Amino acid sequence: MELRRVQMTGGSSFVVTLPKDWIQEMRIKKNDPVGLIVQPDGTLLVTKKTTDEPLQRVKEIDIGHITDPSFLFRMLIGTYITGFTEIRISSKQRFPPFVRSVVRDFTQMTIGQEIVEETDTLIVIKDLLNPAEMPFDNTLKRMFVIVRNMHVDAITALETHNHALATDVINRDLDSDRLNWLIARQTNMIMQNPSLSRKMEVSTGMAMYYYIISRIIERIGDHAVRIAENAEPTMDIDLDPKIIAALKKASAMSMNIFDKSIISFFNADIKEAHKTIESVSALENICGDISNMAFKQETLAAISISYVAESIRRAGEYSADISENVINYIVEEDRSLHRRPAGK
Protein backbone atom coordinates (compact mmCIF):
# COMPACT_ATOMS: atom_id res chain seq x y z
CA MET A 1 0.00 0.00 0.00
CA GLU A 2 1.25 3.46 -0.90
CA LEU A 3 0.47 6.15 1.68
CA ARG A 4 -0.31 9.78 0.73
CA ARG A 5 -0.93 12.69 3.09
CA VAL A 6 -4.09 14.74 2.73
CA GLN A 7 -3.37 18.44 2.29
CA MET A 8 -5.61 21.49 2.41
CA THR A 9 -5.68 24.13 -0.29
CA GLY A 10 -7.65 27.34 -0.47
CA GLY A 11 -8.71 26.93 3.13
CA SER A 12 -11.61 24.55 2.34
CA SER A 13 -10.54 21.95 -0.22
CA PHE A 14 -8.71 18.73 0.60
CA VAL A 15 -6.14 17.44 -1.89
CA VAL A 16 -4.21 14.20 -2.29
CA THR A 17 -1.70 13.49 -5.07
CA LEU A 18 -2.03 10.50 -7.39
CA PRO A 19 0.77 7.96 -8.00
CA LYS A 20 2.90 8.93 -11.00
CA ASP A 21 3.19 5.33 -12.23
CA TRP A 22 -0.61 5.00 -12.32
CA ILE A 23 -0.96 8.34 -14.14
CA GLN A 24 1.51 7.21 -16.78
CA GLU A 25 -0.05 3.74 -17.14
CA MET A 26 -3.52 5.27 -17.62
CA ARG A 27 -2.04 7.90 -20.00
CA ILE A 28 -3.65 10.72 -18.07
CA LYS A 29 -2.45 14.22 -18.96
CA LYS A 30 -2.77 17.62 -17.33
CA ASN A 31 -6.40 18.84 -17.08
CA ASP A 32 -7.78 15.39 -18.01
CA PRO A 33 -10.88 14.51 -15.93
CA VAL A 34 -10.97 11.46 -13.65
CA GLY A 35 -13.97 9.83 -12.02
CA LEU A 36 -14.35 9.49 -8.25
CA ILE A 37 -16.75 6.83 -6.98
CA VAL A 38 -17.55 6.39 -3.29
CA GLN A 39 -17.86 2.66 -2.59
CA PRO A 40 -20.40 1.18 -0.13
CA ASP A 41 -17.56 0.20 2.23
CA GLY A 42 -16.34 3.81 2.42
CA THR A 43 -13.37 3.46 0.08
CA LEU A 44 -12.91 5.89 -2.80
CA LEU A 45 -12.37 4.59 -6.32
CA VAL A 46 -10.40 6.74 -8.76
CA THR A 47 -10.96 5.80 -12.41
CA LYS A 48 -10.07 7.15 -15.82
CA LYS A 49 -13.55 6.14 -16.98
CA THR A 50 -15.84 9.16 -16.61
CA THR A 51 -19.05 7.91 -18.24
CA ASP A 52 -21.62 5.28 -17.28
CA GLU A 53 -21.32 3.56 -20.65
CA PRO A 54 -20.91 -0.22 -20.26
CA LEU A 55 -17.35 -1.51 -20.42
CA GLN A 56 -16.83 -3.02 -23.87
CA ARG A 57 -14.73 -6.20 -23.84
CA VAL A 58 -14.02 -8.28 -26.94
CA LYS A 59 -13.01 -11.94 -26.91
CA GLU A 60 -11.32 -13.43 -29.98
CA ILE A 61 -11.70 -17.20 -30.46
CA ASP A 62 -9.72 -18.87 -33.26
CA ILE A 63 -11.31 -22.27 -33.81
CA GLY A 64 -8.50 -23.49 -36.07
CA HIS A 65 -7.40 -26.06 -33.50
CA ILE A 66 -10.82 -26.75 -31.94
CA THR A 67 -12.46 -29.98 -33.06
CA ASP A 68 -14.61 -30.81 -30.03
CA PRO A 69 -18.08 -29.13 -30.05
CA SER A 70 -18.39 -29.49 -26.25
CA PHE A 71 -15.10 -27.67 -25.74
CA LEU A 72 -16.21 -24.77 -27.97
CA PHE A 73 -19.54 -24.55 -26.15
CA ARG A 74 -17.83 -24.42 -22.76
CA MET A 75 -15.49 -21.71 -24.04
CA LEU A 76 -18.48 -19.65 -25.16
CA ILE A 77 -20.26 -20.08 -21.82
CA GLY A 78 -17.06 -19.12 -19.98
CA THR A 79 -16.70 -16.02 -22.16
CA TYR A 80 -20.33 -15.10 -21.48
CA ILE A 81 -20.08 -15.55 -17.71
CA THR A 82 -16.84 -13.57 -17.43
CA GLY A 83 -18.58 -10.55 -18.94
CA PHE A 84 -17.31 -10.12 -22.50
CA THR A 85 -19.69 -7.94 -24.53
CA GLU A 86 -18.54 -9.15 -27.95
CA ILE A 87 -17.32 -12.57 -29.09
CA ARG A 88 -15.53 -12.93 -32.44
CA ILE A 89 -15.18 -16.52 -33.65
CA SER A 90 -12.85 -16.82 -36.61
CA SER A 91 -11.13 -19.39 -38.79
CA LYS A 92 -8.64 -19.20 -41.65
CA GLN A 93 -10.75 -21.75 -43.52
CA ARG A 94 -14.48 -22.28 -43.90
CA PHE A 95 -16.17 -23.18 -40.60
CA PRO A 96 -16.87 -26.88 -40.07
CA PRO A 97 -20.62 -27.55 -39.65
CA PHE A 98 -20.44 -28.08 -35.85
CA VAL A 99 -19.39 -24.46 -35.24
CA ARG A 100 -22.66 -22.91 -36.41
CA SER A 101 -24.63 -25.54 -34.52
CA VAL A 102 -22.76 -24.79 -31.28
CA VAL A 103 -23.12 -21.03 -31.76
CA ARG A 104 -26.84 -21.40 -32.39
CA ASP A 105 -27.25 -23.49 -29.20
CA PHE A 106 -25.20 -20.93 -27.26
CA THR A 107 -27.32 -17.94 -28.33
CA GLN A 108 -30.53 -19.85 -27.56
CA MET A 109 -29.33 -20.93 -24.12
CA THR A 110 -28.03 -17.54 -22.96
CA ILE A 111 -29.81 -14.25 -22.35
CA GLY A 112 -29.01 -11.23 -24.51
CA GLN A 113 -26.54 -12.89 -26.91
CA GLU A 114 -27.25 -12.36 -30.63
CA ILE A 115 -25.33 -12.99 -33.84
CA VAL A 116 -24.75 -9.62 -35.54
CA GLU A 117 -22.36 -10.71 -38.29
CA GLU A 118 -21.79 -14.03 -40.03
CA THR A 119 -19.58 -15.15 -42.93
CA ASP A 120 -17.89 -18.41 -43.92
CA THR A 121 -14.91 -17.60 -41.65
CA LEU A 122 -16.25 -15.13 -39.05
CA ILE A 123 -19.13 -15.05 -36.56
CA VAL A 124 -19.64 -12.02 -34.32
CA ILE A 125 -21.87 -12.35 -31.25
CA LYS A 126 -22.86 -9.24 -29.30
CA ASP A 127 -24.52 -8.73 -25.94
CA LEU A 128 -27.71 -6.73 -26.53
CA LEU A 129 -28.91 -6.82 -22.91
CA ASN A 130 -28.51 -3.83 -20.62
CA PRO A 131 -27.51 -5.43 -17.28
CA ALA A 132 -29.35 -2.73 -15.33
CA GLU A 133 -32.63 -3.90 -16.92
CA MET A 134 -32.36 -7.30 -15.21
CA PRO A 135 -32.21 -6.60 -11.43
CA PHE A 136 -30.73 -9.36 -9.27
CA ASP A 137 -33.88 -9.53 -7.13
CA ASN A 138 -36.14 -10.31 -10.08
CA THR A 139 -33.79 -12.91 -11.54
CA LEU A 140 -33.31 -14.69 -8.22
CA LYS A 141 -37.07 -14.76 -7.52
CA ARG A 142 -37.69 -16.21 -10.97
CA MET A 143 -35.05 -18.88 -10.35
CA PHE A 144 -36.70 -19.73 -7.04
CA VAL A 145 -40.14 -20.16 -8.62
CA ILE A 146 -38.78 -22.31 -11.46
CA VAL A 147 -36.76 -24.60 -9.19
CA ARG A 148 -39.48 -24.93 -6.55
CA ASN A 149 -42.03 -25.94 -9.20
CA MET A 150 -39.53 -28.42 -10.65
CA HIS A 151 -39.18 -30.12 -7.25
CA VAL A 152 -42.94 -30.22 -6.60
CA ASP A 153 -43.67 -31.56 -10.08
CA ALA A 154 -40.95 -34.22 -9.78
CA ILE A 155 -42.62 -35.58 -6.63
CA THR A 156 -46.02 -35.41 -8.34
CA ALA A 157 -44.64 -37.32 -11.35
CA LEU A 158 -43.38 -40.06 -9.01
CA GLU A 159 -46.71 -40.29 -7.17
CA THR A 160 -48.91 -40.26 -10.29
CA HIS A 161 -46.60 -42.28 -12.59
CA ASN A 162 -46.55 -39.35 -15.03
CA HIS A 163 -43.69 -39.88 -17.49
CA ALA A 164 -44.40 -36.68 -19.43
CA LEU A 165 -44.25 -34.55 -16.28
CA ALA A 166 -40.94 -36.14 -15.23
CA THR A 167 -39.48 -35.38 -18.65
CA ASP A 168 -40.76 -31.81 -18.46
CA VAL A 169 -39.01 -31.30 -15.10
CA ILE A 170 -35.72 -32.47 -16.63
CA ASN A 171 -36.13 -30.10 -19.58
CA ARG A 172 -36.89 -27.11 -17.34
CA ASP A 173 -33.45 -27.35 -15.73
CA LEU A 174 -32.08 -25.27 -18.61
CA ASP A 175 -34.26 -22.32 -17.54
CA SER A 176 -32.60 -22.39 -14.13
CA ASP A 177 -29.12 -22.67 -15.67
CA ARG A 178 -29.73 -19.66 -17.95
CA LEU A 179 -30.65 -17.43 -15.03
CA ASN A 180 -27.72 -18.66 -12.94
CA TRP A 181 -25.35 -17.86 -15.81
CA LEU A 182 -26.91 -14.40 -16.10
CA ILE A 183 -26.34 -13.63 -12.42
CA ALA A 184 -22.76 -14.91 -12.67
CA ARG A 185 -22.21 -12.67 -15.71
CA GLN A 186 -23.68 -9.58 -14.04
CA THR A 187 -21.60 -10.21 -10.91
CA ASN A 188 -18.40 -10.33 -12.97
CA MET A 189 -19.39 -7.19 -14.84
CA ILE A 190 -19.98 -5.34 -11.57
CA MET A 191 -16.55 -6.38 -10.32
CA GLN A 192 -15.01 -4.97 -13.50
CA ASN A 193 -17.13 -1.83 -13.70
CA PRO A 194 -18.00 -0.14 -10.36
CA SER A 195 -20.31 2.34 -12.08
CA LEU A 196 -22.58 -0.58 -12.99
CA SER A 197 -22.80 -1.39 -9.28
CA ARG A 198 -24.18 2.09 -8.67
CA LYS A 199 -26.56 1.86 -11.62
CA MET A 200 -27.95 -1.50 -10.44
CA GLU A 201 -28.10 -0.21 -6.85
CA VAL A 202 -26.22 -3.19 -5.45
CA SER A 203 -22.81 -3.28 -3.79
CA THR A 204 -20.09 -5.58 -5.08
CA GLY A 205 -20.34 -7.55 -1.81
CA MET A 206 -24.10 -8.01 -2.18
CA ALA A 207 -23.65 -9.03 -5.83
CA MET A 208 -21.37 -11.86 -4.67
CA TYR A 209 -24.07 -13.08 -2.25
CA TYR A 210 -26.64 -13.05 -5.05
CA TYR A 211 -24.27 -15.19 -7.12
CA ILE A 212 -23.61 -17.61 -4.24
CA ILE A 213 -27.33 -18.04 -3.60
CA SER A 214 -28.13 -18.45 -7.30
CA ARG A 215 -25.55 -21.27 -7.42
CA ILE A 216 -27.26 -22.94 -4.46
CA ILE A 217 -30.69 -22.63 -6.09
CA GLU A 218 -29.26 -24.10 -9.30
CA ARG A 219 -28.04 -27.11 -7.30
CA ILE A 220 -31.47 -27.55 -5.75
CA GLY A 221 -32.78 -27.61 -9.32
CA ASP A 222 -30.25 -30.33 -10.17
CA HIS A 223 -31.69 -32.45 -7.36
CA ALA A 224 -35.22 -31.90 -8.69
CA VAL A 225 -33.93 -33.36 -11.97
CA ARG A 226 -32.47 -36.34 -10.10
CA ILE A 227 -35.82 -36.93 -8.40
CA ALA A 228 -37.53 -36.92 -11.81
CA GLU A 229 -34.91 -39.26 -13.27
CA ASN A 230 -35.22 -41.69 -10.37
CA ALA A 231 -39.01 -41.52 -10.50
CA GLU A 232 -38.95 -43.12 -13.96
CA PRO A 233 -37.87 -46.65 -12.84
CA THR A 234 -40.60 -46.72 -10.17
CA MET A 235 -43.51 -45.87 -12.45
CA ASP A 236 -44.25 -49.46 -13.39
CA ILE A 237 -44.07 -50.61 -9.76
CA ASP A 238 -46.74 -50.36 -7.09
CA LEU A 239 -44.92 -48.60 -4.26
CA ASP A 240 -45.99 -48.92 -0.65
CA PRO A 241 -48.45 -46.04 0.04
CA LYS A 242 -46.56 -45.38 3.29
CA ILE A 243 -43.41 -44.65 1.30
CA ILE A 244 -45.29 -42.27 -1.00
CA ALA A 245 -46.77 -40.48 2.01
CA ALA A 246 -43.36 -40.23 3.66
CA LEU A 247 -41.79 -38.85 0.48
CA LYS A 248 -44.51 -36.22 0.17
CA LYS A 249 -44.05 -35.23 3.80
CA ALA A 250 -40.27 -34.96 3.43
CA SER A 251 -40.67 -32.99 0.21
CA ALA A 252 -43.04 -30.52 1.90
CA MET A 253 -40.54 -30.07 4.75
CA SER A 254 -37.69 -29.53 2.29
CA MET A 255 -39.62 -26.92 0.31
CA ASN A 256 -40.70 -25.20 3.53
CA ILE A 257 -37.02 -24.77 4.41
CA PHE A 258 -36.42 -23.47 0.88
CA ASP A 259 -39.30 -20.98 1.17
CA LYS A 260 -38.20 -19.64 4.54
CA SER A 261 -34.57 -19.33 3.46
CA ILE A 262 -35.50 -17.20 0.47
CA ILE A 263 -37.85 -15.07 2.58
CA SER A 264 -35.14 -14.52 5.19
CA PHE A 265 -32.78 -13.42 2.42
CA PHE A 266 -35.11 -10.84 0.91
CA ASN A 267 -36.17 -9.60 4.35
CA ALA A 268 -32.61 -9.72 5.76
CA ASP A 269 -34.07 -11.61 8.73
CA ILE A 270 -31.24 -13.15 10.74
CA LYS A 271 -33.50 -14.77 13.36
CA GLU A 272 -35.66 -16.50 10.72
CA ALA A 273 -32.51 -17.69 8.97
CA HIS A 274 -31.27 -19.25 12.20
CA LYS A 275 -34.61 -20.99 12.87
CA THR A 276 -34.61 -22.37 9.33
CA ILE A 277 -31.16 -23.92 9.75
CA GLU A 278 -32.27 -25.57 12.99
CA SER A 279 -35.22 -27.24 11.23
CA VAL A 280 -33.01 -29.31 8.90
CA SER A 281 -32.35 -32.10 11.43
CA ALA A 282 -36.03 -33.18 11.36
CA LEU A 283 -35.85 -33.47 7.57
CA GLU A 284 -32.68 -35.55 7.77
CA ASN A 285 -34.39 -37.96 10.20
CA ILE A 286 -37.42 -38.57 8.01
CA CYS A 287 -35.26 -39.06 4.91
CA GLY A 288 -33.25 -41.65 6.82
CA ASP A 289 -36.49 -43.44 7.72
CA ILE A 290 -37.54 -43.48 4.05
CA SER A 291 -34.26 -45.11 3.04
CA ASN A 292 -34.86 -47.83 5.64
CA MET A 293 -38.42 -48.36 4.37
CA ALA A 294 -37.13 -48.64 0.80
CA PHE A 295 -35.21 -51.84 1.61
CA LYS A 296 -38.53 -53.70 1.71
CA GLN A 297 -39.20 -52.88 -1.96
CA GLU A 298 -37.86 -54.55 -5.08
CA THR A 299 -34.17 -53.88 -5.69
CA LEU A 300 -34.64 -51.37 -8.53
CA ALA A 301 -37.38 -49.50 -6.67
CA ALA A 302 -35.37 -49.55 -3.44
CA ILE A 303 -32.39 -47.92 -5.13
CA SER A 304 -34.54 -45.27 -6.84
CA ILE A 305 -36.45 -44.40 -3.67
CA SER A 306 -33.22 -44.07 -1.72
CA TYR A 307 -31.88 -41.66 -4.35
CA VAL A 308 -35.11 -39.65 -4.24
CA ALA A 309 -34.95 -39.40 -0.45
CA GLU A 310 -31.31 -38.35 -0.73
CA SER A 311 -32.17 -35.56 -3.20
CA ILE A 312 -35.03 -34.32 -1.00
CA ARG A 313 -32.60 -34.17 1.94
CA ARG A 314 -29.93 -32.42 -0.12
CA ALA A 315 -32.46 -29.84 -1.34
CA GLY A 316 -33.30 -29.01 2.28
CA GLU A 317 -29.64 -28.85 3.27
CA TYR A 318 -28.80 -26.59 0.34
CA SER A 319 -31.71 -24.37 1.39
CA ALA A 320 -30.18 -24.14 4.84
CA ASP A 321 -26.95 -23.04 3.15
CA ILE A 322 -28.90 -20.05 1.81
CA SER A 323 -29.84 -19.16 5.40
CA GLU A 324 -26.22 -19.48 6.47
CA ASN A 325 -25.23 -17.00 3.79
CA VAL A 326 -28.02 -14.68 4.95
CA ILE A 327 -26.53 -14.70 8.44
CA ASN A 328 -23.01 -14.16 7.10
CA TYR A 329 -24.07 -11.15 5.06
CA ILE A 330 -26.18 -9.54 7.77
CA VAL A 331 -23.39 -9.94 10.32
CA GLU A 332 -20.89 -8.48 7.86
CA GLU A 333 -23.04 -5.50 6.94
CA ASP A 334 -24.69 -5.06 10.36
CA ARG A 335 -28.06 -4.89 8.68
CA SER A 336 -30.15 -6.84 11.19
CA LEU A 337 -31.82 -3.67 12.47
CA HIS A 338 -32.21 -2.13 9.02
CA ARG A 339 -34.27 -4.62 7.07
CA ARG A 340 -35.18 -3.83 3.51
CA PRO A 341 -38.68 -4.81 2.40
CA ALA A 342 -38.98 -7.81 0.14
CA GLY A 343 -38.50 -6.93 -3.50
CA LYS A 344 -36.64 -3.72 -2.79
Side-chain angles (χ1 to χ4, degrees):
M1 177 185 293
E2 187 173 346
L3 298 179
R4 302 268 165 160
R5 291 189 179 277
V6 177
Q7 301 177 12
M8 179 176 284
T9 179
S12 60
S13 297
F14 294 93
V15 178
V16 63
T17 59
L18 299 174
K20 183 177 179 180
D21 291 345
W22 181 79
I23 291 290
Q24 292 175 338
E25 183 180 348
M26 295 292 107
R27 299 179 182 177
I28 296 174
K29 297 180 176 59
K30 181 180 178 180
N31 295 326
D32 283 354
V34 294
L36 301 178
I37 302 173
V38 179
Q39 301 289 76
D41 62 359
T43 57
L44 186 66
L45 175 69
V46 182
T47 176
K48 182 181 178 181
K49 191 172 182 293
T50 57
T51 69
D52 285 337
E53 291 299 316
L55 184 64
Q56 299 299 312
R57 301 174 64 216
V58 180
K59 179 66 174 178
E60 303 273 356
I61 299 178
D62 183 350
I63 61 100
H65 301 290
I66 299 177
T67 58
D68 184 350
S70 297
F71 178 63
L72 176 58
F73 181 77
R74 288 194 174 98
M75 282 191 67
L76 291 173
I77 291 295
T79 303
Y80 171 78
I81 288 175
T82 49
F84 284 91
T85 54
E86 182 176 316
I87 306 172
R88 300 178 67 86
I89 305 167
S90 60
S91 174
K92 293 180 181 179
Q93 300 177 343
R94 185 183 179 90
F95 285 132
F98 79 85
V99 173
R100 299 185 193 280
S101 177
V102 169
V103 169
R104 183 171 59 252
D105 289 343
F106 168 71
T107 55
Q108 291 174 349
M109 294 173 66
T110 52
I111 298 174
Q113 303 297 292
E114 294 292 341
I115 299 172
V116 296
E117 185 179 347
E118 184 173 2
T119 69
D120 290 342
T121 59
L122 175 68
I123 297 176
V124 179
I125 305 170
K126 278 201 170 184
D127 178 26
L128 303 183
L129 176 69
N130 181 352
E133 295 176 353
M134 293 287 287
F136 281 111
D137 277 9
N138 292 353
T139 306
L140 203 68
K141 287 176 181 176
R142 188 176 167 196
M143 272 192 79
F144 164 71
V145 171
I146 290 171
V147 168
R148 193 187 195 287
N149 287 338
M150 285 171 61
H151 179 100
V152 172
D153 287 348
I155 295 297
T156 301
L158 185 151
E159 180 186 10
T160 60
H161 298 189
N162 191 328
H163 291 273
L165 185 57
T167 300
D168 183 57
V169 169
I170 295 169
N171 292 337
R172 269 183 271 165
D173 190 44
L174 177 58
D175 295 333
S176 171
D177 289 341
R178 294 174 76 234
L179 295 174
N180 178 54
W181 291 337
L182 176 62
I183 290 179
R185 174 179 174 80
Q186 289 177 312
T187 300
N188 279 310
M189 294 177 77
I190 282 176
M191 297 301 174
Q192 298 152 8
N193 182 10
S195 64
L196 180 59
S197 170
R198 187 175 68 255
K199 187 178 291 187
M200 293 188 68
E201 299 182 345
V202 59
S203 68
T204 53
M206 189 60 183
M208 283 303 302
Y209 277 98
Y210 274 109
Y211 171 61
I212 291 169
I213 290 172
S214 77
R215 285 285 293 131
I216 295 173
I217 295 176
E218 190 267 338
R219 288 179 182 136
I220 294 172
D222 288 344
H223 279 285
V225 169
R226 291 182 187 179
I227 292 171
E229 290 173 340
N230 282 289
E232 290 282 357
T234 70
M235 290 187 181
D236 296 326
I237 300 172
D238 291 328
L239 296 177
D240 186 338
K242 291 182 179 179
I243 291 179
I244 296 296
L247 287 171
K248 290 175 64 177
K249 180 179 178 180
S251 172
M253 292 172 66
S254 182
M255 288 300 96
N256 186 50
I257 295 170
F258 192 22
D259 293 343
K260 289 184 176 179
S261 291
I262 293 297
I263 290 171
S264 67
F265 172 70
F266 283 113
N267 289 341
D269 191 334
I270 194 169
K271 292 183 178 179
E272 184 64 32
H274 170 70
K275 287 169 57 180
T276 301
I277 295 170
E278 292 293 302
S279 66
V280 173
S281 58
L283 173 65
E284 292 172 337
N285 290 335
I286 190 172
C287 288
D289 292 340
I290 293 171
S291 295
N292 292 333
M293 294 167 64
F295 291 141
K296 300 177 182 179
Q297 300 292 305
E298 297 178 20
T299 302
L300 184 60
I303 293 172
S304 295
I305 292 167
S306 295
Y307 281 140
V308 169
E310 171 72 6
S311 287
I312 292 173
R313 179 182 66 81
R314 293 293 296 277
E317 290 174 343
Y318 276 132
S319 298
D321 288 345
I322 294 175
S323 290
E324 289 180 356
N325 278 281
V326 171
I327 293 173
N328 295 343
Y329 183 73
I330 294 173
V331 169
E332 179 183 351
E333 297 294 319
D334 193 23
R335 300 176 63 220
S336 58
L337 299 179
H338 306 281
R339 299 178 183 174
R340 58 189 173 91
K344 298 294 184 181

